[in-house]
Amino acid sequence: MASTKPLNVYSGPDAIRKYFDPDTHPPLPLVELPQHLNPFYEDGVRIYAKMMSMHPANNVKIMPAMNMLAKEVVPEKTKTVIEYSSGSTVISLALASRIYHGLQDVRAFLSNKTTLSKLRLMQFFGLDITLFGGPSQPNPLDERGGIQRARTLAQQDDATLNVNQYENDANWQAHVKWTGPQIHAQLPDINIICAGIGTSGTMTGIGQYFKQAKPSVTRLGVCTAPGDRVPGPRSLALLSPVEFPWRDSVDAMEEVGSKEAFGLSLRLSREGLICGPSSGFSLQGLLNYLGKQKAAGTLSDLVGSDGVVNCVFICCDLPYQYIDEYFTTLSTDNFHPIHNQNLAAVDLYRYDEAWELQPTEALSHFADDTTLKPNTILIDLRTPLDFVACQIPGAYNLPLQSVKSSSPSPFSDAAVLESQWRDLEAMLTSDRINAYDLSGKTVCMICYNGDTARVATSVLRAKGIVAVSIRGGYAALRSVYSDLQRGQGGRGAVQEWSKTPTVLVNELRTDLSPSQGFGQNGVPVEVL
């Protein structure tokens, strides 16, 4: 191994190459599980996680990707890399292709049963994606599958490279070169090494390494339970056509289902050892094996010279790209409910503090005695009775059925916010507000406490209408205006705002303009 960077600093024109190169960065962490996560601790068993997900590429596949490309890429000739992969391998191929070979065109063939989050992850990394129907893990030799299609395309075009992780010995040899030696150097007294088997590259590589370097190590492979599916690993039946010498690389096999894999991954992640389902899968296989040995009374046969059974399992992935599958695989008891989840479907538009005016600032939108400035429209969301009882001259009343003086703030009650937002959203899909008529105007929204108007402003802005609201609502605006009038000795507007509904009704009935009409219970209101 080349000299590592003890301070983990990489600089110069080849900094990223060094950063990715296992020969130049410190060994990936080996972390012992705490006692409460190790049910065999009192039996003298110590379990370590080899954190392959801590590589800069965040998955175990980067080392095979680097090794295969180093072997297969033909400089000045290879232009495209294509691979059938469930995600990690082809993402690693994309990264290594760009970093080490300057190849930008990397294409992923994968199952149409791949989750949307994983598809988007691959798009994020710049992959050209083609989906295939049929089994999510096709037989590598099946002419109908994507594995064979990738192989055929490469055979037809010399500029296209299919590294073919299922048959390329550089896949598993990467773990002979890097992973096995790292683990051995970190834990010389290792007794059991465990990994899941998918393409079988990881297990084959570390199995072949320890077969030569320390034959006393028990090599445990883990495959998927029949009829089940865990991202990455395969069932024993699907391993039969794999040509790597994986059978010669294991001493024992265990089968694990998806619930156990996802469940243990979830527990490990919550305890600080963040890892994906394939990692939980490997650990569960190891625990199953240790349980069988203990039941058979043979656990002591695995003890090393230090009097301990030292076990290592491969943490090969992270959970993030599989988040949706945790919720479909595990019961809801594993997750806290989301409070106010009804809000996930409403209040969908942005807010901006600049759209919420302070009461003193709002007064600048009016001329003397609260006469509205040109191109300014004031919409009052209060009930018709409250509107005529106290109003700003020139305002329009657009009452919401969900808004009353006694209503709590929509930001303190999720049900109120949902109801008010739906009412406001419906306004622009009905005849109550015409966005065209409001074009080029500033619409000032006002309500009792300012919060409903703030929601309304968000809705109107989303529809392209220039809208603002008043912080604190009508009460705050009236208070500030009253203070200003008292300070200036003014009385007119204050008196107007203090009239009772009966007085206003009597006055307005005698002189209703064409822009006015009657609201609920015969109360005259402004209408848009």
Side-chain angles (χ1 to χ4, degrees):
M1 297 177 64
S3 60
T4 60
K5 297 279 188 180
L7 297 180
N8 239 3
V9 177
Y10 307 89
S11 59
D14 59 347
I16 296 180
R17 291 189 179 194
K18 294 175 182 176
Y19 176 51
F20 266 65
D21 187 351
D23 286 332
T24 60
H25 59 63
L28 299 175
L30 191 67
V31 184
E32 183 182 354
L33 298 190
Q35 185 172 350
H36 67 277
L37 291 176
N38 177 3
F40 302 98
Y41 190 89
E42 296 296 337
D43 299 300
V45 175
R46 301 295 180 266
I47 301 175
Y48 294 81
K50 177 60 174 175
M51 303 302 295
M52 302 299 292
S53 57
M54 295 294 288
H55 186 278
N58 294 141
N59 71 76
V60 72
K61 300 293 188 178
I62 184 63
M63 294 181 186
M66 292 167 57
N67 212 39
M68 289 187 292
L69 288 170
K71 172 187 173 184
E72 302 291 346
V73 169
V74 180
E76 307 301 327
K77 183 176 181 181
T78 303
K79 303 299 181 184
T80 299
V81 176
I82 189 168
E83 185 73 4
Y84 188 94
S85 165
S86 62
S88 294
T89 296
V90 77
I91 288 173
S92 292
L93 284 170
L95 292 169
S97 291
R98 297 184 189 114
I99 293 168
Y100 290 100
H101 305 283
L103 299 175
Q104 299 295 325
D105 186 9
V106 182
R107 304 178 186 182
F109 285 2
L110 67 161
S111 169
N112 64 332
K113 298 162 186 64
T114 305
T115 62
L116 178 60
S117 58
K118 187 181 285 189
L119 291 173
R120 286 179 171 170
L121 179 67
M122 286 188 274
Q123 287 181 302
F124 174 85
F125 281 105
L127 286 156
D128 183 321
I129 300 170
T130 301
L131 300 181
F132 287 83
S136 59
Q137 294 177 318
N139 185 313
L141 301 179
D142 190 337
E143 295 291 339
R144 300 164 295 181
I147 297 175
Q148 183 64 19
R149 184 74 63 86
R151 181 191 292 113
T152 300
L153 287 175
Q155 290 171 345
Q156 295 172 347
D157 182 3
D158 289 342
T160 298
L161 169 63
N162 170 223
V163 298
N164 192 357
Q165 61 177 316
Y166 304 94
E167 298 179 1
N168 194 326
D169 287 338
N171 179 341
W172 62 268
Q173 288 168 355
H175 298 292
V176 176
K177 180 179 181 180
W178 288 307
T179 311
Q182 278 194 15
I183 295 171
H184 197 186
Q186 292 171 310
L187 190 64
D189 292 326
I190 182 173
N191 306 113
I192 301 176
I193 184 70
C194 174
I197 304 180
T199 61
S200 81
T202 304
M203 189 67 240
T204 298
I206 57 178
Q208 288 297 308
Y209 171 81
F210 281 105
K211 179 180 179 180
Q212 299 298 322
K214 191 175 182 182
S216 62
V217 171
T218 299
R219 303 163 301 166
L220 176 64
V222 187
C223 61
T224 310
D228 208 339
R229 177 185 174 275
V230 177
R234 290 172 170 256
S235 67
L236 191 58
L238 287 174
L239 284 172
S240 58
V242 176
E243 297 184 358
F244 293 161
W246 63 269
R247 296 172 185 83
D248 185 49
S249 304
V250 298
D251 301 303
M253 293 283 292
E254 289 291 337
E255 293 180 333
V256 171
S258 56
K259 289 187 182 299
E260 294 84 358
F262 278 90
L264 193 48
S265 162
L266 184 72
R267 186 182 178 196
L268 290 172
S269 294
R270 288 176 175 177
E271 294 287 346
L273 201 69
I274 301 173
C275 61
S278 295
S279 304
F281 175 85
S282 296
L283 177 56
Q284 187 61 59
L286 174 60
L287 296 179
N288 291 351
Y289 178 77
L290 292 170
K292 291 176 181 178
Q293 297 304 309
K294 182 176 179 179
T298 56
L299 191 56
S300 59
D301 295 344
L302 300 170
V303 174
S305 58
D306 59 352
V308 173
V309 181
N310 289 303
C311 309
V312 174
F313 73 98
I314 302 298
C315 265
C316 52
D317 59 350
L318 291 173
Y320 307 114
Q321 61 182 308
Y322 307 107
I323 290 299
D324 290 343
E325 293 178 69
Y326 282 89
F327 287 86
T328 57
T329 303
L330 302 177
S331 70
T332 56
D333 296 340
N334 289 281
F335 309 97
H336 288 295
I338 298 175
H339 304 290
N340 296 337
Q341 191 166 6
N342 57 312
L343 295 187
V346 299
D347 194 29
L348 303 178
Y349 310 128
R350 68 174 286 236
Y351 289 80
D352 192 316
E353 290 185 4
W355 303 341
E356 188 177 26
L357 307 179
Q358 295 294 334
T360 52
E361 185 183 6
L363 290 176
S364 67
H365 283 261
F366 314 118
D368 294 338
D369 290 331
T370 69
T371 302
L372 294 177
K373 289 184 176 181
N375 295 321
T376 299
I377 297 176
L378 181 64
I379 297 179
D380 194 323
L381 300 173
R382 297 175 300 150
T383 64
L385 280 173
D386 289 333
F387 176 73
V388 296
C390 206
Q391 64 184 268
I392 299 174
Y396 293 94
N397 187 215
L398 193 64
L400 293 178
Q401 292 188 3
S402 58
V403 176
K404 298 179 176 60
S405 61
S406 59
S407 300
S409 165
F411 301 117
S412 65
D413 189 313
V416 171
L417 177 55
E418 179 181 17
S419 176
Q420 292 185 4
W421 188 87
R422 292 190 186 280
D423 284 351
L424 290 162
E425 177 76 355
M427 282 183 180
L428 290 179
T429 57
S430 66
D431 295 331
R432 299 187 72 189
I433 292 181
N434 189 320
Y436 178 80
D437 292 339
L438 299 180
S439 177
K441 298 180 174 64
T442 297
V443 180
C444 187
M445 307 297 296
I446 192 168
C447 65
Y448 292 102
N449 61 15
D451 289 346
T452 300
R454 187 183 184 212
V455 178
T457 298
S458 172
V459 173
L460 291 173
R461 287 275 182 168
K463 310 300 181 183
I465 299 170
V466 179
V468 295
S469 65
I470 301 172
R471 189 179 184 90
Y474 191 85
L477 185 63
R478 182 182 179 185
S479 175
V480 170
Y481 187 76
S482 297
D483 290 343
L484 290 173
Q485 289 297 307
R486 279 192 292 270
Q488 298 170 2
R491 293 177 51 80
V494 176
Q495 290 177 344
E496 174 69 20
W497 286 16
S498 64
K499 289 181 179 180
T500 65
T502 301
V503 173
L504 278 174
V505 167
N506 290 336
E507 291 181 0
L508 293 173
R509 280 186 187 279
T510 62
D511 188 26
L512 286 176
S513 69
S515 65
Q516 293 178 314
F518 286 91
Q520 298 175 4
N521 301 320
V523 177
V525 298
E526 300 277 9
V527 295
L528 202 60

